[in-house]
């Protein structure tokens, strides 16, 4: 319910109940949070006003407060002391209180954006964690007047463990999306691949103090490793790496 009138002793109604519930949630006591603004409410309001550094009138003038549907976080101030308030002029900006990660992708990467799909997160301190895609939308960057507008996909990621973002307000987080998956395959470091004179790739297999080159077929590349198949290759095979 919007704050539409001055609240003072003797005022009753649903807006009074809403205000008193919020005042109580802020930690002010000595009154009953009901639909009647009493002298006890006024005393609590004077304490609140004193903490805010404004005149301790015991009343709440119209335009001094605004209600939101739930807890919010003030993201930034848009007005300074002395500015003239005008209709439709922002005083502040706000966000929700849940910490989230956002990322922008090119439209060509839209295939990566699947709701509830798992992603990996790398925090500013280098620690890895995980999350899931919870929302996405198309946004347009208008450019700086010299470049053409660019369409992007804004992705919202919710960490699986919200506590990993505790203490972070604005921070750079690396997000890893899964383009494809392969299970039960052999992989070697990408640096282990050798370009063969006849074309294609091979790996140097080390066994019994000797080495030999085995041609391989490559598959998926990811995280510095590559899927390989070749004759005589098995789990645990030792491959050579450049010094």
């Amino acid at each position: 319910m919007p704050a539409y009138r001055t609240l003072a002793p003797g005022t009753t109604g649903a807006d009074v109940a809403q205000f008193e519930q919020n005042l109580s949630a802020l930690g002010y006591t000595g009154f009953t949070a009901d639909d009647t603004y009493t002298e006890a409410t006024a005393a609590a309001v004077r304490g609140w006003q004193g903490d805010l550094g404004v005149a301790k009138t015991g009343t709440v003038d119209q335009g001094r407060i605004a209600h939101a549907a739930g807890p919010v976080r003030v993201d930034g101030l848009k007005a300074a002391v002395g500015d003239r308030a005008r209709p439709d002029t922002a005083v502040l900006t706000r966000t929700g209180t849940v910490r989230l990660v956002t990322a922008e992708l090119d439209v060509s990467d839209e295939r990566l954006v699947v709701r509830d799909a798992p992603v990996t997160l790398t925090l500013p301190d280098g620690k890895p964690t995980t999350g899931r895609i919870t929302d996405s939308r198309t946004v347009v960057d208008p450019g700086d007047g010299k470049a053409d507008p660019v369409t992007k996909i804004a992705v919202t990621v919710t960490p699986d463990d919200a506590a990993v973002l505790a203490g972070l307000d604005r921070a750079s987080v690396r997000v890893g999306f899964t383009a494809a998956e392969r299970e039960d395959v052999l992989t070697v470091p990408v640096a282990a691949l050798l370009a063969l004179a006849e074309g294609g790739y091979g790996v140097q297999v080390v066994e019994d103090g000797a080495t030999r080159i085995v041609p391989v077929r490559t598959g998926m590349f990811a995280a510095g490793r590559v899927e390989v198949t070749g004759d005589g290759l098995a789990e645990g095979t030792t491959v050579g790496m450049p010094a």
Side-chain angles (χ1 to χ4, degrees):
M1 178 180 292
Y4 66 94
R5 60 177 175 169
T6 295
L7 303 181
T11 307
T12 62
D15 57 333
V16 174
Q18 176 178 259
F19 169 75
E20 290 188 345
Q21 289 165 5
N22 279 278
L23 186 62
S24 176
L26 288 174
Y28 295 92
T29 60
F31 64 96
T32 301
D34 53 19
D35 61 358
T36 301
Y37 196 113
T38 64
E39 288 295 341
T41 306
V45 167
R46 283 191 288 271
W48 176 45
Q49 291 169 329
D51 292 338
L52 294 176
V54 300
K56 295 187 285 186
T57 63
T59 63
V60 182
D61 294 331
Q62 182 179 354
R64 295 292 289 181
I65 61 172
H67 292 284
V72 297
R73 164 185 169 273
V74 175
D75 184 49
L77 298 176
K78 295 296 185 180
V81 175
D83 286 353
R84 179 173 295 180
R86 297 181 175 87
D88 299 324
T89 299
V91 175
L92 54 84
T93 57
R94 69 188 188 186
T95 71
T97 57
V98 177
R99 288 181 170 87
L100 302 170
V101 176
T102 59
E104 284 193 355
L105 299 180
D106 293 334
V107 174
S108 59
D109 291 324
E110 185 176 10
R111 70 189 187 284
L112 302 178
V113 184
V114 179
R115 189 176 182 86
D116 206 38
V119 299
T120 60
L121 302 172
T122 304
L123 303 179
D125 60 4
K127 292 182 179 178
T129 187
T130 58
R132 292 189 175 273
I133 297 174
T134 51
D135 193 20
S136 65
R137 67 186 188 281
T138 301
V139 297
V140 178
D141 182 350
D144 57 5
K146 298 179 181 179
D148 293 334
V150 178
T151 301
K152 297 282 189 177
I153 300 176
V155 182
T156 300
V157 173
T158 300
D160 293 329
D161 180 7
V164 299
L165 298 183
L168 296 178
D169 183 23
R170 297 177 185 270
S172 177
V173 176
R174 180 174 295 177
V175 183
F177 296 86
T178 300
E181 289 182 315
R182 297 291 296 274
E183 296 182 355
D184 300 324
V185 299
L186 295 175
T187 68
V188 297
V190 173
L193 290 180
L194 303 173
L196 302 181
E198 62 271 26
Y201 294 97
V203 294
Q204 182 188 62
V205 174
V206 181
E207 57 185 1
D208 299 328
T211 63
R212 58 188 174 91
I213 304 299
V214 175
V216 297
R217 295 180 298 279
T218 58
M220 184 181 298
F221 289 76
R225 301 187 69 85
V226 57
E227 174 192 354
V228 294
T229 56
D231 294 337
L233 296 181
E235 182 178 1
T237 298
T238 300
V239 299
M241 288 283 290

